[in-house]
Amino acid sequence: ALSGGPDSVFLAYVYKDLYKNQLIKEPVLFHFNHKIRLEADEEEEFVIQLSKNWDLPLFVESKDVKSFSKRLNKNLEESARILRYRALLRLSKQFGDCYVVTGHHGDDYIETIFLRLLRGSSLQNVNFFYKRTLPITIAHQTYSLHVLSPLLLFDKSEIMEFLDSQNIFYKVDSSNFDDNFKRNYIRKHVLQPL
């Protein structure tokens, strides 16, 4: 999964190098354009160019997340996640139930823990493993999506330091600075001061 942000660009770069050194099969990149932010199309173009520069196959899908969100009466974050993971499931099935690899890193999991605690939720179902299976429901039928998160041992600063040292470009999602999203608020006002 390649958003164009630093985490996913770092992950794609690592997999590109593993492939070029014949250590893995050719990775397939996937970009989901949520059509929420003004810069979404620019990010899509960036990802398309990146895949061409790195000579890797890319699949792109776009959906109107706002309409989907209104129809399901869910928030934008949850609606975007549902549509993105459904698209990833279809792509995974197309390639024979392969794993989807995401750029979630250690900082993401710390944020998840705080989110769960603030909601009063149990930490029992928080998955701290890099390999997991997610249930994805489409048309009242549940499928399994196999997900790897190999960056869990890295924190965000390590990823940023590497990208900067290698002059690897990435996009910055402006919504990551919007405190109206709980995860961003926790990142900025709870975790950063620590």
Side-chain angles (χ1 to χ4, degrees):
L2 179 60
S3 68
D7 312 333
S8 67
V9 168
F10 174 76
L11 184 66
Y13 180 84
V14 169
Y15 271 76
K16 171 196 67 98
D17 271 9
L18 290 171
Y19 170 64
K20 300 295 181 193
N21 289 298
Q22 301 178 350
L23 297 171
I24 61 171
K25 293 179 181 179
E26 182 177 53
V28 175
L29 304 177
F30 173 76
H31 177 75
F32 189 87
N33 186 338
H34 301 91
K35 297 288 187 186
I36 297 173
R37 295 172 293 105
L38 294 174
E39 62 266 29
D41 291 336
E42 180 185 318
E43 291 165 351
E44 181 179 315
E45 274 306 311
F46 170 78
V47 167
I48 290 169
Q49 191 57 51
L50 190 68
S51 71
K52 288 178 183 175
N53 293 346
W54 289 351
D55 195 26
L56 293 173
L58 171 70
F59 289 82
V60 176
E61 186 165 323
S62 299
K63 293 285 183 196
D64 182 353
V65 175
K66 286 182 182 178
S67 296
F68 182 78
S69 174
K70 287 177 185 171
R71 198 169 67 246
L72 286 182
N73 197 25
K74 290 189 178 284
N75 69 44
L76 272 179
E77 285 178 292
E78 179 66 14
S79 298
R81 184 181 182 283
I82 289 168
L83 288 173
R84 187 172 57 250
Y85 276 95
R86 283 180 179 178
L88 284 166
L89 176 69
R90 285 191 299 275
L91 189 61
S92 170
K93 297 287 183 201
Q94 182 178 334
F95 284 91
D97 261 344
C98 64
Y99 277 90
V100 169
V101 183
T102 68
H104 295 117
H105 49 75
D107 293 9
D108 292 324
Y109 276 90
I110 292 169
E111 292 166 8
T112 299
I113 290 168
F114 274 87
L115 276 169
R116 298 289 298 264
L117 290 172
L118 288 173
R119 285 189 204 128
S121 301
S122 165
L123 295 180
Q124 184 176 5
N125 294 326
V126 175
N127 189 334
F128 295 96
F129 300 104
Y130 81 98
K131 181 179 177 181
R132 62 196 186 284
T133 301
L134 300 177
I136 307 295
T137 303
I138 301 174
H140 306 293
Q141 187 164 355
T142 302
Y143 302 90
S144 295
L145 178 65
H146 307 294
V147 180
L148 294 177
S149 299
L151 302 184
L152 290 180
L153 298 177
F154 295 89
D155 62 38
K156 181 76 168 196
S157 64
E158 292 171 305
I159 292 169
M160 299 302 289
E161 186 178 309
F162 177 83
L163 292 172
D164 292 342
S165 74
Q166 300 298 310
N167 293 315
I168 299 170
F169 296 104
Y170 52 84
K171 292 292 183 179
V172 177
D173 180 343
S174 63
S175 70
N176 286 338
F177 304 103
D178 184 347
D179 284 353
N180 291 315
F181 295 109
K182 289 177 188 169
R183 181 174 294 273
N184 296 342
Y185 184 87
I186 287 171
R187 182 183 308 127
K188 185 175 176 183
H189 300 287
V190 177
L191 296 176
Q192 280 182 0
L194 296 177

